[in-house]
Structure formats: structure tokens, C-alpha cells
Amino acid sequence: MIERASMQYTTSIKKMMSWQKEMKALGLTIGFVPTMGFLHEGHLKLIEEAKKSSDCVAVSIFVNPTQFGPGEDFEAYPRRLDADIRLATEAGADIVFCPEVKEMYPVDGGIRIVPGKLAKKMCGASRPGHFDGVLKVVLKLVNIVQPDTVFFGMKDAQQLAIIETFFRDFNCPATIVRVPTVRDEDGLAKSSRNVNLSTDEREDAPIIFETLKHAEVLVQEGVTKEAVEKFVSDTLDNKTSGKVDYVSLLTYPDLEAPTETSNDLIIACAVQFTKARLIDNIIFKREG
Ligand code: AMP
């Protein structure tokens, strides 16, 4: 890892590309952490992991409008750019790329990336077009930064599965590293959206992870998919003020209904609170 005294950031695609070319000319490897900002310990963990295994680290901060549907929280998504640049730099970023929307999307040529069957389940079922927007921005960012390695969090497990499949199927040369979910002490997964929870909702929110952990035990005991999903859904309905969007027990990363022989599983859910939609999951191996 190269030590750099001053923090660097740029809003320009051209400058970002000159930086990566300069690093490559020096023979240095680039680790990349794409984010939507309002950084928390989850993001910082990704940056730390990138720093451990790459010569230099680029972090992007961009609230991507193409992955928000009509009526979703694009406007209300929390933003805090100055503090984010400082936090990312302190965690080990050598450059922070924070473009404006018009820099990333100056024109729309109408071409879309369609993620297909993986995007029809879980979050994709209630957020049509969300993963099209995710793939578009990830492809653009990866083309701009041209990293050796890209770091993604397992909290966004469906996003991770879709991006891994996209990279594999389209021979994207960067390697993907999965980073485990970072949680508050009470188990709530760190999320930029947690600031939009009311005090009461924040008190309820750890029940999500507790219930998923309980669901994993039920799976290990042989309880059926339908009964496990119903248990999670009913518990979250009864014990939180949020509205359950979905609960899914699927194989991971294929996101298919498990058969008797499926061992790599995910139990995932989304809960809509007044101003924040929270997602969480546990990825685990079925024993025996
Ligand atoms: P976001 O800014 O929410 O789009 O997230 C940017 C990256 O950080 C994605 O790869 C997320 O999966 C990852 N991330 C978000 N929250 C967490 C968390 N609590 N633990 C680990 N990674 C996370």
C-alpha cells in the first residue's frame, strides 16, 4: 500500500481515468469500493479490505438515480460528501471519485442492461428496474476505474449475486471480493438508511437479524421453506411496526428454490418502515 499525505478526490471522469492510468503505469494494483456515500463502518470495512490486498484504493461516492424507481427515496437518500471524503481517506482511500449526475449520465443513448431471472426475486420483485440501474452504474464505474479487484458487501446479497454473474458471463476482468455484513452491537446491519428510522423503529429493527438467526436454526432442524418464510414474516409483522416486503429462503448465489440436496442457502428479507426500507440476510450452509 502506498502512503499518501494528502487526500485526493475528483468529480471528473477524465481525471479519475488519468489517475488509474498513472497507477497502472507504475505497476500498481487498484482495489475499488463503489458506494452511495453516507459512509458507515460497513463501507469502511470494505475500504480496509481493499487496502489490505491492493497497492492503491479508489472509492466512489455516487447516489445513482438509475437504480431508484418512481416514488423511492432518491431525494431523501442521506448525503454528506465532505465528511465522506475525509472518512474514506482516513480508512485508506487514495482517491475518492464523486461525480455529479450530469457527469455520469450526460446523454441517454437508450441502451439498457437487463439482469434477467436473478433480478425477478427478492428486492427485484418489488423494485422493477433497480438491478438494471445497478448493473449500468457498476459497469460504468468499473470501466472508469479499471480496478483489479472490486469489493462488495454481503448485506446486499442479491446485488452481489447479480454482479458476480454479470462479471462471469461478460468476462469482466476484475475480481470480486465478498465482504461480510458489519452490524451494530444489537445486530442491526449498518446501513446509510438507518438514520431515516424513527426512535421506535430503531428499537424494533434488531428484531430483523434476531428473527433471521432463528430462521436459520429452523432450517437446520428440517423445517420447510414455506414454514420458515411464514415464521419470519409473521414474527416481523407482529414484533415490528414495519411492513414486510418479502421473506425468501433460496439457494445462494443462484437464488433458486432449495431442493433436499441444496446446501448453500440464503434467508433474506426486506422491511419497509416509514422512511426507510431495510434489507438483511444470512448466507449459510445447511448441515447434514
Ligand atoms: P451502498 O452505499 O449502500 O450502496 O453500499 C456500498 C457497498 O457497501 C455495497 O457493496 C454494500 O453491500 C456495502 N455495504 C453496505 N452496508 C454494509 C454493511 N453493513 N456491511 C458490509 N458492507 C456493507
Side-chain angles (χ1 to χ4, degrees), residues 47-262:
I47 299 172
E48 282 160 24
E49 291 300 316
K51 193 174 158 70
K52 275 190 216 157
S53 60
S54 318
D55 293 323
C56 49
V57 175
V59 173
S60 65
I61 296 175
F62 180 61
V63 184
N64 172 40
T66 69
Q67 68 190 69
F68 288 80
E72 290 188 355
D73 59 348
F74 175 68
E75 300 299 340
Y77 198 86
R79 291 162 170 87
R80 193 178 48 186
L81 191 54
D82 288 349
D84 280 350
I85 293 171
R86 184 176 49 73
L87 284 170
T89 308
E90 283 168 7
D94 294 281
I95 190 160
V96 179
F97 177 49
C98 40
E100 293 198 5
V101 171
K102 61 180 184 308
E103 176 76 353
M104 287 293 275
Y105 300 114
V107 285
D108 180 3
I111 296 175
R112 300 283 177 269
I113 306 174
V114 182
K117 64 178 180 179
L118 286 175
K120 298 224 158 44
K121 321 216 162 140
M122 296 169 58
C123 290
S126 44
R127 302 187 70 189
H130 168 67
F131 290 111
D132 310 32
V134 169
L135 288 184
K136 181 166 185 174
V137 79
V138 168
L139 181 61
K140 283 173 73 78
L141 289 168
V142 164
N143 283 337
I144 293 165
V145 177
Q146 300 198 13
D148 297 277
T149 314
V150 196
F151 296 79
F152 290 102
M154 291 164 74
K155 184 177 87 73
D156 298 273
Q158 185 177 18
Q159 165 176 287
L160 178 57
I162 291 172
I163 294 170
E164 283 180 350
T165 306
F166 180 57
F167 274 38
R168 181 197 68 197
D169 289 359
F170 291 84
N171 303 93
C172 291
T175 303
I176 290 176
V177 172
R178 297 179 177 181
V179 180
T181 302
V182 177
R183 299 177 180 280
D184 279 332
E185 273 178 17
D186 59 12
L188 176 64
K190 302 261 183 194
S191 165
S192 306
R193 288 187 165 100
N194 290 351
V195 293
N196 288 337
L197 295 170
S198 70
T199 312
D200 287 349
E201 288 171 342
R202 176 65 189 79
E203 270 177 29
D204 286 353
I207 295 166
I208 297 173
F209 184 51
E210 267 168 41
T211 309
L212 292 176
K213 282 193 293 190
H214 194 156
E216 180 188 344
V217 174
L218 296 179
V219 175
Q220 303 294 11
E221 288 172 357
V223 177
T224 63
K225 168 180 162 72
E226 291 68 26
V228 171
E229 290 176 347
K230 184 170 183 325
F231 162 77
V232 174
S233 188
D234 290 350
T235 308
L236 295 177
D237 262 342
N238 294 334
K239 292 195 178 170
T240 77
S241 59
K243 187 174 174 311
V244 177
D245 179 8
Y246 68 83
V247 176
S248 297
L249 175 66
L250 297 169
T251 61
Y252 193 83
D254 299 335
L255 309 184
E256 302 283 0
T259 64
E260 277 180 11
T261 56
S262 312

